[in-house]
């Protein structure tokens, strides 16, 4: 009797093991890893996102945490009739993903220890937005698609100008120069997903001497916005302009702000409004939505 009970018990264990094995095989189907890429923008009040443009491609890396090895090594992912799909099959393991756009961003490399690193990126040589996404500890059972929320990792800067002089005074701007900030930097080389500036300090120059811009009481944009390495420092701003009273001749003048505070954060769009008053040149800093453009 005891032997019969023992046999029944062993059979029951084997049966449960078989059912579990069948269940695992039923739950896991070998399919390619798919992605749901979005682009988010940085606002302090609202978090929004838009679908990643289907006419663009991005590079993706996946790290196998259990094997401590790279599972996807910088594969370029493009949109197809099946969506955003990798050539790699889902393993029965957790993966951590990192991705960047443009797919051929200059100086981009990947290591399991630090993830995506970008070295010696120069915003003067490569005037392009950079997007970065990260998704940790993802497995097949949690979602067959990996959500990639791309964020802008550079800053955007633009200038406007107005004047607060008397109605009889006219002002026109010839040149704006921002001195003393870095245009080159390394991203995430220290493993903290931040930028570190490198190289000499440079200047941004908006020169409109051939066709000076009239400035009135309402702010007017000066040139195009530009991308820059996020950084914190005090720079110098110099504005060359001309003024005249009534029908008198134009008089060339120059004003500068030596403690022009720069606090550029990743994914943030800064609009500096310069104001020429009767005593000096002042400025205010506006932070606005990035608008999720990919250029």
């Amino acid at each position: 009797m005891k032997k019969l009970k023992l046999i029944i018990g062993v059979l029951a264990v084997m049966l449960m093991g078989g059912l579990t094995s069948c269940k695992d095989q039923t739950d896991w189907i070998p399919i390619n890893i798919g992605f749901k890429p979005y682009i988010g923008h940085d606002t302090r009040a609202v978090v929004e996102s838009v679908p990643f443009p289907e006419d663009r491609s991005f590079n993706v890396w996946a790290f196998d945490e259990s094997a401590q090895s790279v599972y996807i090594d910088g594969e370029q992912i493009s949109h197809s009739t099946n969506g955003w799909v990798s050539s790699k099959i889902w393993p029965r393991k957790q993966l951590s993903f990192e991705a960047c756009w443009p797919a051929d961003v200059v100086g981009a490399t990947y290591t399991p220890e630090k993830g995506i690193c970008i070295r010696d990126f120069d915003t003067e040589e490569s005037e392009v937005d950079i997007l970065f996404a990260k998704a940790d500890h993802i497995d097949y059972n949690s979602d067959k698609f990996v959500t990639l929320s791309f964020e802008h990792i550079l800053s955007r800067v633009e200038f406007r100008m107005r004047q607060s002089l008397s109605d009889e005074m006219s002002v026109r701007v010839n040149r704006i120069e921002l001195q003393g900030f870095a245009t080159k930097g390394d991203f995430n080389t220290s493993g903290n997903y931040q930028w570190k500036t490198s190289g000499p300090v440079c200047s941004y120059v908006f020169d409109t001497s051939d066709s000076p811009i009239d400035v009135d009481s309402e702010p007017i944009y000066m040139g195009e916005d530009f991308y820059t390495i996020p950084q914190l420092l005090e720079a110098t701003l110099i504005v060359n302009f001309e003024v005249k009273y009534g029908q008198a001749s134009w008089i060339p003048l120059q004003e500068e702000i030596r403690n022009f505070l720069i606090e550029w954060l990743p994914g943030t769009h800064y609009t500096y409004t310069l104001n020429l008053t009767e005593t000096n040149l002042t400025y205010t800093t506006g932070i606005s939505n990035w608008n999720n453009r990919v250029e």
Side-chain angles (χ1 to χ4, degrees):
M1 189 68 173
K2 290 182 178 179
K3 184 179 291 186
L4 178 61
K5 289 183 177 179
L6 180 60
I7 293 172
I8 293 173
V10 171
L11 290 173
V13 170
M14 292 176 64
L15 178 60
M16 290 299 293
L19 289 174
T20 302
S21 176
C22 291
K23 182 177 184 299
D24 288 345
Q25 292 178 6
T26 302
D27 288 348
W28 185 85
I29 302 173
I31 61 172
N32 295 76
I33 299 173
F35 300 95
K36 293 179 180 178
Y38 298 91
I39 301 175
H41 64 74
D42 188 298
T43 67
R44 290 179 290 181
V46 181
V47 177
E48 298 178 2
S49 61
V50 298
F52 195 90
E54 294 182 356
D55 61 344
R56 306 298 172 97
S57 301
F58 56 86
N59 276 13
V60 66
W61 288 261
F63 182 66
D64 184 336
E65 300 173 17
S66 60
Q68 289 293 292
S69 63
V70 177
Y71 187 70
I72 301 178
D73 189 10
E75 180 180 5
Q76 185 168 310
I77 306 297
S78 301
H79 190 269
S80 67
T81 54
N82 296 322
W84 304 89
V85 181
S86 168
S87 62
K88 301 287 283 187
I89 301 296
W90 267 110
R92 300 192 190 188
K93 301 175 181 179
Q94 282 194 337
L95 301 175
S96 289
F97 297 86
E98 291 191 16
C100 71
W101 182 92
D104 58 349
V105 60
V106 177
T109 60
Y110 175 88
T111 62
E113 296 78 19
K114 293 183 179 179
I116 294 176
C117 297
I118 302 173
R119 296 180 181 274
D120 296 326
F121 184 81
D122 193 333
T123 54
E124 286 190 319
E125 295 181 0
S126 302
E127 296 181 3
V128 62
D129 190 8
I130 303 178
L131 300 174
F132 170 80
K134 191 172 187 286
D136 288 331
H137 315 307
I138 310 298
D139 57 44
Y140 173 89
N141 292 324
S142 60
D143 194 344
K144 296 177 178 61
F145 292 90
V146 180
T147 298
L148 293 176
S149 298
F150 283 91
E151 298 294 338
H152 306 271
I153 62 174
L154 291 173
S155 304
R156 277 177 62 202
V157 175
E158 63 184 349
F159 286 95
R160 304 189 305 174
M161 189 163 176
R162 61 185 297 264
Q163 56 104 341
S164 301
L165 305 180
S166 66
D167 294 339
E168 293 80 11
M169 297 294 295
S170 298
V171 177
R172 63 186 187 185
V173 175
N174 296 315
R175 194 172 190 270
I176 296 176
E177 181 176 1
L178 180 62
Q179 299 178 340
F181 67 96
T183 63
K184 183 183 290 187
D186 303 327
F187 173 74
N188 195 41
T189 52
S190 59
N192 59 3
Y193 294 97
Q194 295 181 1
W195 285 93
K196 180 180 179 181
T197 57
S198 60
V201 294
C202 300
S203 298
Y204 162 78
V205 177
F206 170 61
D207 195 331
T208 183
S209 301
D210 293 338
S211 182
I213 297 178
D214 293 327
V215 175
D216 208 336
S217 58
E218 291 297 321
I220 183 172
Y221 285 94
M222 297 283 148
E224 301 292 333
D225 58 1
F226 60 95
Y227 298 111
T228 184
I229 303 293
Q231 55 197 284
L232 172 62
L233 56 91
E234 282 191 354
T236 298
L237 181 78
I238 302 174
V239 178
N240 293 335
F241 59 98
E242 296 172 283
V243 299
K244 73 173 181 177
Y245 184 85
Q247 300 301 315
S249 300
W250 289 101
I251 302 174
L253 295 172
Q254 177 178 288
E255 286 284 346
E256 51 180 77
I257 302 174
R258 293 189 175 274
N259 57 344
F260 193 88
L261 182 61
I262 286 177
E263 295 180 294
W264 294 336
L265 298 177
T268 308
H269 180 189
Y270 298 92
T271 301
Y272 295 104
T273 301
L274 311 177
N275 184 21
L276 181 64
T277 70
E278 293 182 355
T279 56
N280 59 1
L281 180 68
T282 66
Y283 74 97
T284 57
T285 305
I287 300 177
S288 57
N289 296 348
W290 185 279
N291 83 5
N292 290 331
R293 68 184 184 183
V294 180
E295 300 183 56

